[in-house]
Amino acid sequence: MSASGAVGDRAACAAALSRLPGMTPARLARVLRGRTPEAAWSLVEEGWAPDELRPPEGRDALVGRWREHASRHPPTAVVAACAELGVRPVLPADLPGGDRLVGVDPPVSVLFAAGDTSILAAPCVALVGTRRATALGREIASVLGADLARAGVAVVSGLAAGIDAAAHAGVLAAEATPPVGVVGSGLDVPYPKANTRLWAAVARVGLLLSEHPPGVGPMAHHFPERNRIVAALSAVVVVVESHRRGGALITADLAGALGRTVGVVPGSLRNPAAEGTNLLLRDAQTVPVLDALDVLIAAGVTSPAARPALQPSGGDATEQLILDHLGEGGTVDQLVARTGVGLGPVVEALDRLDERGLVRPSGPEWQRVLRNSRW
């Protein structure tokens, strides 16, 4: 379906079903098991719910609530209310590459879209990571997002704070292949609120998707559910930074279970925000990601033959040692301790690297500068 495509009866009925009180993706899948959305909606109007549903308030009470709600919110009214917000319901089968959503648990019955769904015809790669990202992690996500967009890849992410937001900001700055955001609330309820402008930009030039109808706020269980959609849509899921128990690891696990490739950006052993990613590299079937070309190769977009031979850095041994040990930054004294090089040579090497734009001072510390897709 294009950005301006009409909403069919099936999508309209599925959207109306998703708005019933107490409805969840798992319940909606049960309601639609063996039934079309139109048939399921007719049954709800007559006073019905699946026998296997056992809500806390009792099945009869739920049936009554559903029937009363259905009388006030028919499919045509639901679609009209969505349209006023620039949102439309779509079925997975109507999306380009919608077959990628087959096999997720619970099944995806309906999605709400803002923007151009044809973007999903492009190769898709997810960039995910911790909300509590380091400055370097955010910069890596931004560079990766921009480079992948320029290579014709649609970058998928959850529009959370930290790595997700940085990745999409990089994509937007590249002004190339638009981004895809999959979120855990209604498309009219930006979360976190700090990302409101980013949500609007993604919807304007790219695509926003949610399993939840407008008006639904973010809840804790929505985000793991969202992650299964992020993983399913993507040929490769790249984790840029993650703490040991980070939510991005859930996305990586879901991707692996779906047979997707999981890429990991290695991090410093001294960086808590990279502990989860480093453990993924050690313990799981993953692909190390050092630049966008690694991702393109993993996604099958580019041949491994495109990888150029490693070239010398052009700097002396002390400069290379400093670049190798700078990690998340460090003071001169820390770099002396890490490299084992004397104070004078370290200071001189930092001056040369600064002149070449490879490092920069940040208060008492020095930071690496990411000028391209290699870091």
Side-chain angles (χ1 to χ4, degrees):
M1 180 184 294
S2 70
S4 60
V7 175
D9 290 343
R10 289 196 170 197
C13 289
L17 289 166
S18 77
R19 293 193 73 241
L20 293 173
M23 187 60 76
T24 66
R27 280 185 173 178
L28 184 54
R30 294 190 190 103
V31 167
L32 293 174
R33 187 177 297 157
R35 304 176 186 89
T36 66
E38 301 97 320
W41 181 257
S42 294
L43 289 170
V44 168
E45 286 182 309
E46 295 168 6
W48 167 89
D51 291 336
E52 62 267 27
L53 289 189
R54 289 174 172 76
E57 70 269 39
R59 184 174 172 278
D60 289 343
L62 180 68
V63 167
R65 290 175 65 202
W66 280 8
R67 186 174 187 178
E68 191 275 335
H69 182 94
S71 68
R72 294 186 291 109
H73 302 284
T76 52
V78 171
V79 171
C82 287
E84 290 182 2
L85 299 169
V87 174
R88 67 193 182 285
V90 293
L91 300 178
D94 295 332
L95 291 171
D99 57 330
R100 286 171 282 183
L101 293 170
V102 173
V104 300
D105 184 25
V108 179
S109 301
V110 65
L111 289 165
F112 294 84
D116 187 357
T117 57
S118 69
I119 294 166
L120 292 173
C124 293
V125 166
L127 296 181
V128 299
T130 179
R131 291 171 171 82
R132 295 174 290 139
T134 65
L136 181 61
R138 292 193 298 271
E139 195 165 359
I140 288 171
S142 180
V143 171
L144 263 181
D147 286 350
L148 289 171
R150 294 187 189 104
V153 169
V155 173
V156 183
S157 203
L159 273 176
I163 295 300
D164 291 25
H168 273 161
V171 172
L172 292 168
E175 298 184 344
T177 308
V180 177
V182 184
V183 300
S185 59
L187 297 184
D188 61 334
V189 188
Y191 179 83
K193 288 196 176 295
N195 283 356
T196 297
R197 292 179 64 183
L198 184 61
W199 277 49
V202 171
R204 185 172 61 253
V205 305
L207 173 65
L208 277 184
L209 293 172
S210 176
E211 207 168 9
H212 306 285
V216 174
M219 299 184 69
H221 64 275
H222 290 175
F223 298 103
E225 293 170 350
R226 171 206 63 190
N227 292 350
R228 82 192 197 284
I229 299 174
V230 171
L233 288 176
S234 307
V236 179
V237 171
V238 179
V239 186
V240 178
E241 276 187 337
S242 175
H243 293 78
R244 178 183 280 267
R245 302 185 188 282
L249 301 184
I250 297 175
T251 311
D253 288 342
L254 291 167
L258 289 168
R260 308 300 193 261
T261 299
V262 176
V264 179
V265 175
S268 168
L269 298 180
R270 297 182 178 89
N271 177 14
E275 187 175 7
T277 46
N278 288 336
L279 289 174
L280 269 180
L281 278 173
R282 187 189 71 182
D283 298 336
Q285 295 293 319
T286 58
V287 175
V289 170
L290 302 184
D291 59 15
L293 188 54
D294 287 335
V295 182
L296 296 173
I297 292 170
V301 176
T302 300
S303 164
R307 165 68 63 204
L310 186 63
Q311 298 297 321
S313 66
D316 65 16
T318 300
E319 292 175 11
Q320 192 60 53
L321 271 175
I322 288 173
L323 292 174
D324 290 343
H325 288 83
L326 200 50
E328 292 302 301
T331 64
V332 171
D333 288 342
Q334 288 171 334
L335 290 171
V336 169
R338 292 176 194 172
T339 62
V341 177
L343 176 61
V346 166
V347 171
E348 292 173 0
L350 283 170
D351 286 341
R352 293 193 298 271
L353 290 169
D354 188 15
E355 289 176 0
R356 287 159 47 203
L358 298 178
V359 300
R360 65 183 173 214
S362 178
E365 293 193 344
W366 287 84
Q367 304 282 345
R368 288 194 65 169
V369 175
L370 300 182
R371 299 193 304 175
N372 51 45
S373 62
R374 275 293 188 181
W375 49 83

